[in-house]
Amino acid sequence: LENSSYDMSTDPSFAALDGVHIRKFSMLPETVRGKGYQEFAMVDRWYDSERAPPPRFLKITGRYLASNVGDLLAECRRAATDTILIDQFPRGRMALTSIFSAGWRGYGRFLKGLYRDMDDSAGVWAEHVFYRALATQRNVRSFVREPDMQGVSGSTGGALENPRWKWAVKQAVRSLNRIA
């Protein structure tokens, strides 16, 4: 899904990706409401217009790369269709919206339309809205594998850095939490 002014159709890097289907959407005029509002309004428009919906999708914010995307996709394929895979943090009351996976029906049932509540200028981020919507749902769980993300932060413009040792520690803590 793409809503920037970048023309992906003329970029050979994207044309060479087998099995990739680009869906282009225009930005909404409510830019003051922020990135989350724009991003999830676009996902909803895709949801409403897709003629051949997938049973499940993995959403990764466009500025990011997940170097272990193969492991994450394998986990998505194994997940029940009604399970939402998203990392949640009760202490901060946040769910990481930069990467998550949802079944088509699960997205429509639990997440569709939530963009209307998002407003960065009022401090109501997508991560807070998703957390509130999913905190009491039983079919929500974290990824088994720690997503290994790199890219450019949309908030700060700085590089997202995930040194190997830090990723390994996060993965160990994730594994221990699952055991506990």
Side-chain angles (χ1 to χ4, degrees), residues 87-96 125 127-128 130-131:
D87 289 343
Q88 298 184 89
F89 301 95
R91 179 178 280 166
R93 303 185 56 76
M94 295 175 62
L96 292 186
W125 303 339
E127 292 82 359
H128 300 137
F130 270 37
Y131 181 84

Side-chain angles (χ1 to χ4, degrees), residues 110-125:
F110 298 109
L111 302 174
K112 187 174 182 296
L114 292 181
Y115 78 92
R116 293 180 191 102
D117 299 333
M118 299 170 191
D119 187 346
D120 289 1
S121 66
V124 185
W125 303 339

Side-chain angles (χ1 to χ4, degrees), residues 75-161:
E75 183 175 349
C76 293
R77 288 183 193 103
R78 291 189 304 270
T81 57
D82 63 342
T83 298
I84 295 174
L85 301 172
I86 189 167
D87 289 343
Q88 298 184 89
F89 301 95
R91 179 178 280 166
R93 303 185 56 76
M94 295 175 62
L96 292 186
T97 60
S98 57
I99 182 167
F100 72 90
S101 177
W104 194 256
R105 280 186 246 140
Y107 181 85
R109 183 174 173 201
F110 298 109
L111 302 174
K112 187 174 182 296
L114 292 181
Y115 78 92
R116 293 180 191 102
D117 299 333
M118 299 170 191
D119 187 346
D120 289 1
S121 66
V124 185
W125 303 339
E127 292 82 359
H128 300 137
V129 173
F130 270 37
Y131 181 84
R132 280 194 305 267
L134 298 174
T136 60
Q137 300 303 321
R138 292 188 350 213
N139 60 335
V140 178
R141 67 176 177 81
S142 294
F143 286 99
V144 172
R145 301 287 297 173
E146 175 75 26
D148 191 5
M149 307 297 285
Q150 290 87 37
V152 176
S153 169
S155 301
T156 67
L160 287 179
E161 297 184 52

Side-chain angles (χ1 to χ4, degrees), residues 22-84:
I22 297 171
R23 303 292 192 260
K24 183 78 171 163
F25 296 91
S26 58
M27 295 272 296
L28 295 176
E30 301 90 350
T31 56
V32 71
R33 296 194 66 182
K35 297 179 306 297
Y37 180 88
Q38 291 288 331
E39 192 168 23
F40 290 103
M42 177 180 59
V43 175
D44 279 16
R45 291 189 317 203
W46 172 57
Y47 186 93
D48 290 337
S49 64
E50 183 58 50
R51 292 186 188 140
R56 168 175 289 284
F57 64 90
L58 174 66
K59 181 259 185 212
I60 303 173
T61 295
R63 298 174 304 278
Y64 301 157
L65 298 172
S67 59
N68 62 343
V69 71
D71 292 335
L72 299 172
L73 286 170
E75 183 175 349
C76 293
R77 288 183 193 103
R78 291 189 304 270
T81 57
D82 63 342
T83 298
I84 295 174

